Structure formats: structure tokens, C-alpha cells
Amino acid sequence: MSQQHGPLDACKHYTNIQDVPWDIRKYYHQRYDLFSKYDEGILMTDSAWYGVTPEPVANKVAQHISAAAPASKAVLIDCFAGVGGNTIAFARSGRWKRVYAIEKDEAIIHCGRQNAKLYGVGQKISWFHGDCFDILKNELSPLGQYSVIFASPPWGGKLQLRSFVYQKSI
């Protein structure tokens, strides 16, 4: 009988290259570009390595969006929060009264929450588990007039690597 594992078992912090699956080793070598605090306990699922925004890029995106947003907008909603790359940068920018992070994968939310705590912004982010369109419509719609919505959807991960042409259906 096989042992059952919960979704949080997917959250990992690799410390040894021999433990890293071969198909994400090139991303592991870039771990400090993805998260400068990687060694402090950053958690990732194996699929998250393909889509997390590198920290310097996330910081620049947060800076540009913060500068471009009207002063009346005090809330940032990250529709595809993942393990927190962009979400953490938005919270660290100091521009937003609150950052709302939406993610459909329970394990990835767990990773994102842990990562936000490591960066000292866990209390500035509210996490939502589910489909971003449903959550925007049913839970966050009252915040619409005060919000900037950021959406950087996952690009396809491992499956996309096997394709020579981008396929939206993946």
C-alpha cells in the first residue's frame, strides 16, 4: 500500500544539487537570482522553478508599476502569485496598503506564504486559493476602484520546453 502525501509535501528546499531533479538543475544554479534569501529556507515546488520571476526583475516590475499607478490606487492584486516572486516585491515596495495574492495550487500558496515571511512581508499579503477570475468577481470586487490588477500567468513549464512553437492550449 502506497503512502498518501498531502499537497504541502510538494514544497521543497533543495540544498544539494544531487537531490535536484535533472530537469530543474539549470534553474537551481540560478537560485540566488530567483531569491536572494534562498539559503534562509525558500520553498518551491518543482514546477515553480519554471515560472518564478527572478528577484531583480520582480523588483523592477514593482518599481515601475508603483510609479505608474494613480495615487488613488492603494491595493495591488497579483492574479497568478505563484511562490511569491512578484508578490513579495510588491509588498516590499512600500507603495501598497495591502497586496492580495491569488494562486490556484495549495502547495504553491504554502511556499509563497513561507517565502513572504522570510522577506519580512508576510503580514502585508493576503493569500487566496482558487481561480483568479472567480476570486476577483466573488471576493475582491469591492476593492476594484482602489486596485491595480497584475497578471503574469505561468508560461507552461516543462511541457512548453518540449514544444518548438508556443501553444496556448498547454
Side-chain angles (χ1 to χ4, degrees):
M1 185 168 161
S2 65
Q3 184 178 5
Q4 294 293 321
H5 297 284
L8 304 187
D9 292 337
C11 295
K12 299 172 185 151
H13 176 81
Y14 292 113
T15 57
N16 186 329
I17 189 70
Q18 286 80 11
D19 297 330
V20 178
W22 68 269
D23 55 338
I24 59 174
R25 286 186 180 182
K26 72 178 181 178
Y27 301 102
Y28 178 78
H29 289 296
Q30 300 170 36
R31 65 194 177 278
Y32 301 114
D33 290 330
L34 301 177
F35 288 103
S36 62
K37 295 185 178 227
Y38 183 83
D39 286 343
E40 295 180 33
I42 291 293
L43 294 177
M44 306 258 283
T45 64
D46 287 351
S47 64
W49 289 89
Y50 295 99
V52 65
T53 303
E55 188 173 320
V57 175
N59 289 338
K60 189 56 91 172
V61 168
Q63 178 185 16
H64 285 292
I65 290 178
S66 294
S72 63
K73 306 294 184 181
V75 172
L76 188 292
I77 301 172
D78 186 346
C79 291
F80 302 95
V83 294
N86 289 307
T87 306
I88 291 167
F90 290 128
R92 291 180 72 202
S93 75
R95 163 65 172 83
W96 311 103
K97 287 185 180 178
R98 194 82 189 151
V99 175
Y100 293 89
I102 304 170
E103 175 54 48
K104 67 179 183 175
D105 185 304
E106 183 180 359
I108 290 176
I109 286 178
H110 177 76
C111 296
R113 281 187 178 128
Q114 169 65 21
N115 298 342
K117 287 178 190 173
L118 290 174
Y119 278 87
V121 294
Q123 73 285 356
K124 296 180 179 183
I125 303 168
S126 295
W127 294 84
F128 289 82
H129 176 231
D131 177 79
C132 67
F133 299 107
D134 291 339
I135 291 170
L136 286 170
K137 180 181 176 185
N138 299 322
E139 298 185 52
L140 298 178
S141 62
L143 299 175
Q145 65 182 333
Y146 311 106
S147 302
V148 169
I149 296 176
F150 175 78
S152 179
W155 61 271
K158 286 193 261 189
L159 295 175
Q160 197 64 38
L161 290 176
R162 295 187 195 124
S163 177
F164 291 109
V165 177
Y166 176 75
Q167 298 174 12
K168 292 191 319 185
S169 63
I170 292 180

